[in-house]
Protein backbone atom coordinates (compact mmCIF):
# COMPACT_ATOMS: atom_id res chain seq x y z
CA UNK A 1 0.00 0.00 0.00
CA UNK A 2 1.38 3.40 -0.99
CA UNK A 3 -0.22 6.80 -0.89
CA UNK A 4 1.74 9.47 -2.77
CA UNK A 5 1.06 13.14 -3.40
CA UNK A 6 2.59 15.09 -6.27
CA UNK A 7 2.95 18.86 -5.91
CA UNK A 8 4.35 21.80 -7.89
CA UNK A 9 7.46 23.52 -6.50
CA UNK A 10 7.16 26.97 -8.09
CA UNK A 11 4.38 29.00 -9.79
CA UNK A 12 2.69 26.10 -11.60
CA UNK A 13 3.44 24.63 -15.04
CA UNK A 14 6.44 22.71 -13.72
CA UNK A 15 5.55 19.71 -15.88
CA UNK A 16 3.35 17.99 -13.32
CA UNK A 17 1.17 16.51 -16.10
CA UNK A 18 4.17 14.76 -17.64
CA UNK A 19 5.43 13.43 -14.28
CA UNK A 20 1.98 12.14 -13.29
CA UNK A 21 1.60 10.38 -16.64
CA UNK A 22 4.97 8.70 -16.23
CA UNK A 23 4.47 7.66 -12.59
CA UNK A 24 0.93 6.34 -13.15
CA UNK A 25 2.07 4.38 -16.20
CA UNK A 26 4.90 2.78 -14.20
CA UNK A 27 3.15 2.23 -10.87
CA UNK A 28 -0.45 1.67 -12.02
CA UNK A 29 -2.21 3.00 -8.91
CA UNK A 30 -5.73 1.72 -8.20
CA UNK A 31 -6.96 5.27 -7.65
CA UNK A 32 -5.73 8.54 -9.14
CA UNK A 33 -7.29 11.45 -7.28
CA UNK A 34 -7.23 15.08 -8.38
CA UNK A 35 -6.64 17.70 -5.68
CA UNK A 36 -5.90 21.44 -5.98
CA UNK A 37 -7.94 24.50 -6.86
CA UNK A 38 -9.95 23.61 -9.98
CA UNK A 39 -10.07 24.23 -13.75
CA UNK A 40 -7.64 27.17 -13.53
CA UNK A 41 -4.98 24.44 -13.96
CA UNK A 42 -3.72 23.24 -17.33
CA UNK A 43 -1.82 19.99 -17.26
CA UNK A 44 -0.14 18.71 -20.42
CA UNK A 45 0.06 14.99 -21.07
CA UNK A 46 2.01 13.46 -23.96
CA UNK A 47 2.54 9.84 -24.92
CA UNK A 48 2.93 7.84 -28.15
CA UNK A 49 2.74 11.08 -30.16
CA UNK A 50 -0.65 12.04 -28.66
CA UNK A 51 -0.93 15.28 -26.72
CA UNK A 52 -3.69 16.37 -24.34
CA UNK A 53 -4.33 19.52 -22.30
CA UNK A 54 -6.44 18.85 -19.21
CA UNK A 55 -8.04 21.11 -16.62
CA UNK A 56 -10.02 18.82 -14.33
CA UNK A 57 -9.57 15.15 -15.27
CA UNK A 58 -6.70 13.42 -13.43
CA UNK A 59 -3.63 13.31 -15.71
CA UNK A 60 -3.23 9.56 -15.26
CA UNK A 61 -6.51 8.98 -17.20
CA UNK A 62 -5.00 6.79 -19.93
CA UNK A 63 -4.22 4.09 -17.41
CA UNK A 64 -7.50 2.22 -18.02
CA UNK A 65 -7.50 0.21 -14.82
CA UNK A 66 -7.30 3.23 -12.52
CA UNK A 67 -10.36 4.77 -10.94
CA UNK A 68 -10.33 8.57 -11.41
CA UNK A 69 -11.61 10.71 -8.54
CA UNK A 70 -11.98 14.46 -7.98
CA UNK A 71 -11.69 15.51 -4.33
CA UNK A 72 -14.21 17.62 -2.39
CA UNK A 73 -11.75 20.53 -2.22
CA UNK A 74 -11.61 20.86 -6.02
CA UNK A 75 -13.94 23.30 -7.79
CA UNK A 76 -15.92 21.74 -10.63
CA UNK A 77 -17.07 23.58 -13.75
CA UNK A 78 -19.65 21.30 -15.35
CA UNK A 79 -18.87 22.58 -18.89
CA UNK A 80 -15.19 21.70 -18.46
CA UNK A 81 -16.09 18.34 -16.91
CA UNK A 82 -18.44 17.28 -19.73
CA UNK A 83 -16.08 18.64 -22.40
CA UNK A 84 -13.24 16.48 -21.05
CA UNK A 85 -15.50 13.40 -20.92
CA UNK A 86 -16.03 13.78 -24.69
CA UNK A 87 -12.42 14.79 -25.39
CA UNK A 88 -11.12 11.63 -23.69
CA UNK A 89 -13.93 9.41 -24.98
CA UNK A 90 -11.56 6.80 -26.42
CA UNK A 91 -10.10 6.20 -22.97
CA UNK A 92 -13.55 5.32 -21.70
CA UNK A 93 -13.32 7.57 -18.67
CA UNK A 94 -17.12 7.95 -18.35
CA UNK A 95 -17.38 4.72 -16.42
CA UNK A 96 -14.53 5.34 -14.03
CA UNK A 97 -14.48 9.06 -13.19
CA UNK A 98 -16.35 10.42 -10.17
CA UNK A 99 -16.26 13.51 -7.99
CA UNK A 100 -17.04 13.98 -4.34
CA UNK A 101 -20.65 15.01 -3.73
CA UNK A 102 -19.35 18.00 -1.76
CA UNK A 103 -17.31 19.61 -4.58
CA UNK A 104 -18.26 23.29 -5.05
CA UNK A 105 -19.61 24.22 -8.45
CA UNK A 106 -18.29 27.03 -10.67
CA UNK A 107 -21.28 28.81 -12.27
CA UNK A 108 -21.25 31.23 -15.25
CA UNK A 109 -21.64 34.07 -12.76
CA UNK A 110 -18.32 33.12 -11.10
CA UNK A 111 -16.53 33.28 -14.45
CA UNK A 112 -18.08 36.70 -15.16
CA UNK A 113 -17.17 38.02 -11.73
CA UNK A 114 -13.57 36.81 -12.24
CA UNK A 115 -13.13 38.25 -15.75
CA UNK A 116 -14.87 41.53 -14.93
CA UNK A 117 -12.99 42.12 -11.70
CA UNK A 118 -10.27 44.73 -12.09
CA UNK A 119 -8.63 43.40 -8.94
CA UNK A 120 -8.60 39.70 -9.88
CA UNK A 121 -8.24 39.73 -13.65
CA UNK A 122 -6.14 42.87 -14.17
CA UNK A 123 -4.11 43.32 -10.98
CA UNK A 124 -3.54 39.69 -9.94
CA UNK A 125 -3.71 38.32 -13.48
CA UNK A 126 -6.15 35.53 -12.66
CA UNK A 127 -7.00 32.88 -15.25
CA UNK A 128 -10.60 34.18 -15.46
CA UNK A 129 -11.97 30.68 -14.90
CA UNK A 130 -14.15 31.67 -11.92
CA UNK A 131 -12.11 29.88 -9.26
CA UNK A 132 -11.56 32.86 -6.92
CA UNK A 133 -15.24 33.92 -6.82
CA UNK A 134 -16.39 30.27 -6.44
CA UNK A 135 -14.03 29.65 -3.51
CA UNK A 136 -15.18 32.90 -1.94
CA UNK A 137 -18.83 31.73 -2.23
CA UNK A 138 -17.86 28.48 -0.52
CA UNK A 139 -16.38 30.49 2.35
CA UNK A 140 -19.57 32.59 2.48
CA UNK A 141 -21.52 29.30 2.43
CA UNK A 142 -23.60 30.15 -0.61
CA UNK A 143 -21.91 27.87 -3.20
CA UNK A 144 -23.78 24.95 -4.78
CA UNK A 145 -22.34 21.50 -4.36
CA UNK A 146 -22.09 18.70 -6.94
CA UNK A 147 -24.91 16.80 -5.23
CA UNK A 148 -27.27 19.72 -6.06
CA UNK A 149 -26.75 19.30 -9.81
CA UNK A 150 -28.95 16.62 -11.40
CA UNK A 151 -26.76 16.18 -14.53
CA UNK A 152 -23.95 15.03 -12.25
CA UNK A 153 -26.00 12.33 -10.55
CA UNK A 154 -24.08 9.46 -12.15
CA UNK A 155 -20.72 10.99 -11.35
CA UNK A 156 -20.85 11.57 -7.63
CA UNK A 157 -19.42 9.52 -4.82
CA UNK A 158 -17.84 9.76 -1.38
CA UNK A 159 -14.17 10.27 -2.32
CA UNK A 160 -12.60 9.98 1.18
CA UNK A 161 -14.46 6.71 1.75
CA UNK A 162 -13.30 5.29 -1.60
CA UNK A 163 -9.68 6.28 -1.00
CA UNK A 164 -9.46 5.17 2.62
CA UNK A 165 -11.15 1.83 1.82
CA UNK A 166 -8.69 1.33 -1.00
CA UNK A 167 -5.74 2.01 1.35
CA UNK A 168 -7.24 -0.39 3.93
CA UNK A 169 -7.23 -3.04 1.18
CA UNK A 170 -3.49 -2.46 0.55
CA UNK A 171 -4.07 -0.73 -2.77
CA UNK A 172 -2.06 2.20 -4.17
CA UNK A 173 -3.40 5.74 -4.34
CA UNK A 174 -1.87 8.63 -6.23
CA UNK A 175 -2.99 12.18 -5.36
CA UNK A 176 -2.24 14.81 -7.97
CA UNK A 177 -1.92 18.41 -6.85
CA UNK A 178 -2.18 21.38 -9.18
CA UNK A 179 -0.71 24.91 -9.32
CA UNK A 180 2.49 25.35 -7.31
CA UNK A 181 4.04 26.41 -4.02
CA UNK A 182 4.54 30.10 -5.02
CA UNK A 183 0.79 30.39 -5.73
CA UNK A 184 -0.28 29.27 -2.24
CA UNK A 185 -2.75 31.63 -0.57
CA UNK A 186 -0.72 31.34 2.65
CA UNK A 187 2.89 30.70 1.63
CA UNK A 188 3.07 32.22 -1.86
CA UNK A 189 3.60 35.78 -3.06
CA UNK A 190 0.36 37.17 -1.60
CA UNK A 191 -1.75 38.84 -2.97
CA UNK A 192 -0.44 37.51 -6.31
CA UNK A 193 -1.55 33.97 -5.59
CA UNK A 194 -4.46 31.62 -6.22
CA UNK A 195 -7.55 31.22 -4.03
CA UNK A 196 -6.29 28.54 -1.62
CA UNK A 197 -3.24 26.85 -0.18
CA UNK A 198 -1.38 24.69 -2.69
CA UNK A 199 0.80 22.51 -0.50
CA UNK A 200 0.71 18.77 0.17
CA UNK A 201 -1.26 19.02 3.43
CA UNK A 202 -4.10 20.85 1.70
CA UNK A 203 -4.05 18.41 -1.24
CA UNK A 204 -4.43 15.53 1.23
CA UNK A 205 -7.37 17.32 2.86
CA UNK A 206 -8.89 18.02 -0.60
CA UNK A 207 -9.36 14.30 -1.16
CA UNK A 208 -10.01 13.38 2.50
CA UNK A 209 -6.80 11.55 3.44
CA UNK A 210 -5.26 12.20 6.87
CA UNK A 211 -1.54 13.11 7.21
CA UNK A 212 -0.63 9.77 8.85
CA UNK A 213 -1.58 7.94 5.63
CA UNK A 214 0.81 9.74 3.28
CA UNK A 215 4.00 7.84 2.33
CA UNK A 216 5.59 10.10 -0.27
CA UNK A 217 5.46 13.72 -1.37
CA UNK A 218 6.98 14.17 -4.82
CA UNK A 219 7.74 17.79 -5.63
CA UNK A 220 8.17 18.84 -9.26
CA UNK A 221 10.71 21.51 -10.19
CA UNK A 222 11.32 22.71 -13.71
CA UNK A 223 15.03 23.38 -14.45
CA UNK A 224 14.16 27.05 -14.91
CA UNK A 225 11.12 28.91 -13.61
CA UNK A 226 8.07 30.23 -15.39
CA UNK A 227 5.25 32.35 -14.08
CA UNK A 228 1.99 33.52 -15.70
CA UNK A 229 0.12 36.47 -14.28
CA UNK A 230 1.47 39.25 -12.10
CA UNK A 231 3.57 39.19 -8.95
CA UNK A 232 7.14 39.03 -7.60
CA UNK A 233 9.62 36.78 -9.40
CA UNK A 234 13.12 37.21 -7.89
CA UNK A 235 15.06 35.31 -10.57
CA UNK A 236 13.12 36.64 -13.60
CA UNK A 237 15.11 37.17 -16.81
CA UNK A 238 14.23 39.73 -19.42
CA UNK A 239 12.54 38.31 -22.49
CA UNK A 240 15.58 38.66 -24.79
CA UNK A 241 17.85 36.69 -22.46
CA UNK A 242 15.18 34.01 -22.08
CA UNK A 243 14.87 33.81 -25.87
CA UNK A 244 18.66 33.52 -26.20
CA UNK A 245 18.41 30.51 -23.90
CA UNK A 246 15.70 29.20 -26.25
CA UNK A 247 12.97 29.29 -23.63
CA UNK A 248 9.53 30.51 -24.64
CA UNK A 249 6.30 29.09 -23.19
CA UNK A 250 2.59 29.85 -23.45
CA UNK A 251 -0.15 29.00 -20.92
CA UNK A 252 -2.31 25.91 -21.51
CA UNK A 253 -5.52 27.56 -20.19
CA UNK A 254 -5.14 31.22 -21.14
CA UNK A 255 -2.55 31.16 -23.97
CA UNK A 256 -0.66 33.95 -22.16
CA UNK A 257 3.10 34.12 -22.61
CA UNK A 258 4.88 32.83 -19.52
CA UNK A 259 7.50 34.95 -17.78
CA UNK A 260 10.82 33.07 -17.54
CA UNK A 261 13.57 33.03 -14.91
CA UNK A 262 16.48 31.05 -13.52
CA UNK A 263 16.10 28.18 -11.06
CA UNK A 264 15.55 29.62 -7.57
CA UNK A 265 17.29 27.62 -4.84
CA UNK A 266 15.77 29.62 -1.97
CA UNK A 267 12.28 28.97 -3.28
CA UNK A 268 13.13 25.28 -3.77
CA UNK A 269 14.34 24.93 -0.16
CA UNK A 270 11.24 26.56 1.28
CA UNK A 271 8.92 24.58 -1.00
CA UNK A 272 10.55 21.28 0.04
CA UNK A 273 10.30 22.19 3.71
CA UNK A 274 6.64 23.28 3.77
CA UNK A 275 5.52 20.39 1.53
CA UNK A 276 7.54 17.83 3.50
CA UNK A 277 8.94 16.63 0.17
CA UNK A 278 10.50 13.14 0.10
CA UNK A 279 11.47 13.10 -3.61
CA UNK A 280 12.18 15.64 -6.36
CA UNK A 281 11.21 15.32 -10.02
CA UNK A 282 13.32 17.67 -12.15
CA UNK A 283 11.77 18.49 -15.54
CA UNK A 284 12.70 20.22 -18.81
CA UNK A 285 16.40 19.58 -18.28
CA UNK A 286 16.66 19.28 -22.08
CA UNK A 287 15.48 22.87 -22.55
CA UNK A 288 18.35 24.12 -20.42
CA UNK A 289 20.88 21.58 -21.70
CA UNK A 290 19.77 20.47 -25.19
CA UNK A 291 22.51 17.78 -25.32
CA UNK A 292 20.43 15.58 -23.02
CA UNK A 293 17.24 15.69 -25.10
CA UNK A 294 15.34 12.40 -24.76
CA UNK A 295 18.13 10.78 -22.73
CA UNK A 296 16.82 7.82 -20.75
CA UNK A 297 19.78 6.85 -18.63
CA UNK A 298 21.63 8.75 -15.94
CA UNK A 299 25.14 7.73 -17.00
CA UNK A 300 24.81 9.54 -20.35
CA UNK A 301 24.02 12.89 -18.71
CA UNK A 302 26.81 15.50 -18.85
CA UNK A 303 28.82 16.37 -15.73
CA UNK A 304 27.16 19.80 -15.77
CA UNK A 305 23.66 18.35 -15.48
CA UNK A 306 24.69 15.92 -12.76
CA UNK A 307 26.22 18.82 -10.84
CA UNK A 308 22.97 20.84 -11.15
CA UNK A 309 20.95 17.94 -9.79
CA UNK A 310 23.41 17.34 -6.92
CA UNK A 311 23.34 21.03 -5.98
CA UNK A 312 19.56 20.85 -5.65
CA UNK A 313 19.82 17.71 -3.51
CA UNK A 314 22.46 19.26 -1.25
CA UNK A 315 20.50 22.49 -0.75
CA UNK A 316 17.11 20.85 -0.10
CA UNK A 317 18.23 17.59 1.49
CA UNK A 318 15.76 15.75 -0.76
CA UNK A 319 16.84 13.22 -3.43
CA UNK A 320 16.21 13.87 -7.13
CA UNK A 321 14.52 10.64 -8.20
CA UNK A 322 13.07 11.59 -11.59
CA UNK A 323 14.84 13.56 -14.33
CA UNK A 324 12.71 14.49 -17.33
CA UNK A 325 14.46 15.10 -20.65
CA UNK A 326 11.48 15.61 -22.98
CA UNK A 327 7.68 15.94 -22.97
CA UNK A 328 6.88 12.29 -23.77
CA UNK A 329 6.56 9.88 -20.89
CA UNK A 330 9.41 7.80 -22.36
CA UNK A 331 11.84 10.72 -21.99
CA UNK A 332 12.44 10.02 -18.32
CA UNK A 333 15.31 8.90 -16.10
CA UNK A 334 13.94 7.04 -13.09
CA UNK A 335 16.32 6.84 -10.13
CA UNK A 336 13.77 5.65 -7.56
CA UNK A 337 15.31 2.18 -7.30
CA UNK A 338 18.46 3.76 -5.94
CA UNK A 339 16.53 4.85 -2.85
CA UNK A 340 15.72 1.27 -1.89
P1 LIG B 1 0.06 23.00 -14.14
O1 LIG B 1 -0.98 22.29 -13.39
O2 LIG B 1 -0.49 24.20 -14.83
O3 LIG B 1 1.24 23.35 -13.32
O4 LIG B 1 0.54 22.02 -15.33
P2 LIG B 1 1.86 21.25 -15.63
O5 LIG B 1 2.76 21.34 -14.45
O6 LIG B 1 1.49 19.90 -16.08
O7 LIG B 1 2.64 21.99 -16.75
P3 LIG B 1 2.14 22.51 -18.19
O8 LIG B 1 1.55 21.39 -18.87
O9 LIG B 1 1.32 23.73 -18.03
O10 LIG B 1 3.53 22.97 -18.83
C1 LIG B 1 4.65 22.16 -18.95
C2 LIG B 1 5.05 22.02 -20.44
O11 LIG B 1 6.33 21.41 -20.53
C3 LIG B 1 4.13 21.11 -21.23
O12 LIG B 1 4.04 21.57 -22.55
C4 LIG B 1 4.83 19.73 -21.18
O13 LIG B 1 4.51 18.89 -22.27
C5 LIG B 1 6.27 20.15 -21.25
N1 LIG B 1 7.23 19.27 -20.59
C6 LIG B 1 7.11 18.60 -19.41
N2 LIG B 1 8.27 17.98 -19.09
C7 LIG B 1 9.14 18.27 -20.08
C8 LIG B 1 10.53 17.98 -20.32
O14 LIG B 1 11.20 17.34 -19.53
N3 LIG B 1 11.09 18.48 -21.46
C9 LIG B 1 10.40 19.24 -22.35
N4 LIG B 1 11.03 19.68 -23.43
N5 LIG B 1 9.10 19.56 -22.16
C10 LIG B 1 8.49 19.08 -21.04
P1 LIG C 1 -6.61 32.19 -10.35
O1 LIG C 1 -6.22 30.94 -9.68
O2 LIG C 1 -7.28 31.99 -11.69
O3 LIG C 1 -7.39 33.12 -9.44
O4 LIG C 1 -5.27 33.01 -10.69
C1 LIG C 1 -4.44 33.56 -9.67
C2 LIG C 1 -2.96 33.43 -10.08
O5 LIG C 1 -2.60 32.06 -10.12
C3 LIG C 1 -2.64 33.99 -11.48
O6 LIG C 1 -1.33 34.52 -11.44
C4 LIG C 1 -2.67 32.76 -12.36
O7 LIG C 1 -1.89 32.91 -13.51
C5 LIG C 1 -2.07 31.72 -11.41
N1 LIG C 1 -2.45 30.32 -11.70
C6 LIG C 1 -3.57 29.67 -11.27
N2 LIG C 1 -3.54 28.39 -11.68
C7 LIG C 1 -2.39 28.21 -12.36
C8 LIG C 1 -1.78 27.08 -13.01
O8 LIG C 1 -2.28 25.96 -13.04
N3 LIG C 1 -0.57 27.30 -13.59
C9 LIG C 1 0.03 28.52 -13.54
N4 LIG C 1 -0.48 29.60 -12.95
C10 LIG C 1 -1.69 29.44 -12.36
MG1 LIG D 1 -0.01 24.21 -16.52
Amino acid sequence: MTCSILVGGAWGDEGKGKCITYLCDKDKPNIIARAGVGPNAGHSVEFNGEKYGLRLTPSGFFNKDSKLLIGAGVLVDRDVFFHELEYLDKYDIKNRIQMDYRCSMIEPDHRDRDKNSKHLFKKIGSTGTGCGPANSDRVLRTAKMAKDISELENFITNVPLEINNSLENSEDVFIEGSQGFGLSLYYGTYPYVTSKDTTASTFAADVGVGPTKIDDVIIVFKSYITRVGEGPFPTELNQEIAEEKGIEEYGTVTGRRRRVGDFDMNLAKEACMINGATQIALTCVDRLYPVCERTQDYSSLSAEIKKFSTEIEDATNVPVTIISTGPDLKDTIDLRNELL
Side-chain angles (χ1 to χ4, degrees):
M1 171 210 111
T2 312
C3 186
S4 311
I5 305 190
L6 182 137
V7 303
W11 283 282
D13 310 322
E14 298 92 352
K16 293 185 290 293
K18 143 82 198 251
C19 294
I20 297 164
T21 315
Y22 173 81
L23 292 168
C24 290
D25 182 54
K26 269 265 149 230
D27 302 345
K28 308 210 173 348
N30 303 78
I31 290 181
I32 307 171
R34 169 78 149 77
V37 183
N40 49 351
H43 291 252
S44 307
V45 166
E46 215 171 310
F47 53 92
N48 305 334
E50 295 179 40
K51 193 172 173 175
Y52 297 91
L54 302 172
R55 295 173 54 192
L56 209 45
T57 307
S59 300
F61 67 89
F62 75 99
N63 195 16
K64 286 190 171 162
D65 294 326
S66 303
K67 191 172 228 183
L68 307 174
L69 298 176
I70 299 173
V74 180
L75 299 164
V76 172
D77 180 323
R78 87 189 87 171
D79 294 347
V80 175
F81 179 74
F82 285 112
H83 166 77
E84 291 186 357
L85 280 191
E86 288 309 314
Y87 179 53
L88 301 172
D89 193 35
K90 77 179 206 198
Y91 291 95
D92 198 23
I93 67 166
K94 280 197 181 82
N95 299 319
R96 57 194 176 95
I97 188 166
Q98 285 184 303
M99 68 190 74
D100 192 85
Y101 66 93
R102 292 154 285 201
C103 288
S104 296
M105 299 305 298
I106 296 182
E107 314 266 349
D109 171 57
H110 294 127
R111 292 193 295 255
D112 292 345
R113 274 156 61 194
D114 196 351
K115 284 194 189 120
N116 297 327
S117 159
K118 259 198 190 139
H119 176 70
L120 286 178
F121 199 58
K122 295 257 160 47
K123 181 177 172 208
I124 308 296
S126 77
T127 56
T129 52
C131 290
N135 267 336
S136 105
D137 277 1
R138 182 68 182 232
V139 173
L140 294 172
R141 282 144 287 176
T142 55
K144 280 197 182 128
M145 295 201 275
K147 70 177 170 61
D148 304 323
I149 311 294
S150 56
E151 287 162 272
L152 294 175
E153 202 178 7
N154 295 334
F155 298 101
I156 59 176
T157 187
N158 183 330
V159 167
L161 197 63
E162 300 234 14
I163 294 184
N164 285 283
N165 281 346
S166 173
L167 292 172
E168 275 301 289
N169 293 330
S170 304
E171 294 183 350
D172 293 331
V173 172
F174 189 90
I175 301 166
E176 47 175 89
S178 65
Q179 285 77 41
F181 177 72
L183 291 170
S184 162
L185 183 61
Y186 301 145
Y187 304 111
T189 47
Y190 184 85
Y192 300 97
V193 293
T194 189
S195 50
K196 76 180 212 201
D197 176 44
T198 51
T199 65
S201 308
T202 291
F203 295 147
D206 283 344
V207 301
V209 177
T212 52
K213 303 275 170 66
I214 307 300
D215 301 293
D216 258 314
V217 175
I218 303 147
I219 190 163
V220 184
F221 292 122
K222 192 148 65 175
S223 304
Y224 48 91
I225 302 220
T226 57
R227 175 162 200 175
V228 271
E230 303 307 316
F233 187 172
T235 62
E236 186 168 12
L237 296 168
N238 77 32
Q239 237 175 50
E240 280 129 60
I241 298 185
E243 274 166 27
E244 272 167 34
K245 291 191 179 208
I247 301 170
E248 197 177 317
E249 287 190 19
Y250 293 87
T252 317
V253 177
T254 57
R256 290 179 292 179
R257 185 167 180 159
R258 293 177 179 161
R259 298 155 65 193
V260 175
D262 284 324
F263 192 85
D264 184 339
M265 203 60 92
N266 291 326
L267 178 70
K269 278 160 75 171
E270 199 185 11
C272 283
M273 177 181 80
I274 295 182
N275 278 292
T278 59
Q279 296 183 39
I280 291 172
L282 186 61
T283 67
C284 296
V285 183
D286 56 300
R287 294 225 181 112
L288 211 52
Y289 305 102
V291 284
C292 74
E293 197 176 345
R294 312 230 131 153
T295 299
Q296 292 173 20
D297 81 291
Y298 184 79
S299 58
S300 9
L301 291 177
S302 68
E304 200 180 11
I305 301 174
K306 289 178 182 163
K307 182 165 164 264
F308 177 49
S309 164
T310 308
E311 274 169 8
I312 297 172
E313 290 184 325
D314 290 347
T316 59
N317 230 347
V318 180
V320 173
T321 55
I322 301 283
I323 298 180
S324 171
T325 57
D328 196 277
L329 68 89
K330 290 199 198 83
D331 312 326
T332 310
I333 300 169
D334 189 339
L335 301 165
R336 290 179 297 163
N337 280 339
E338 292 180 22
L339 282 186
L340 301 174

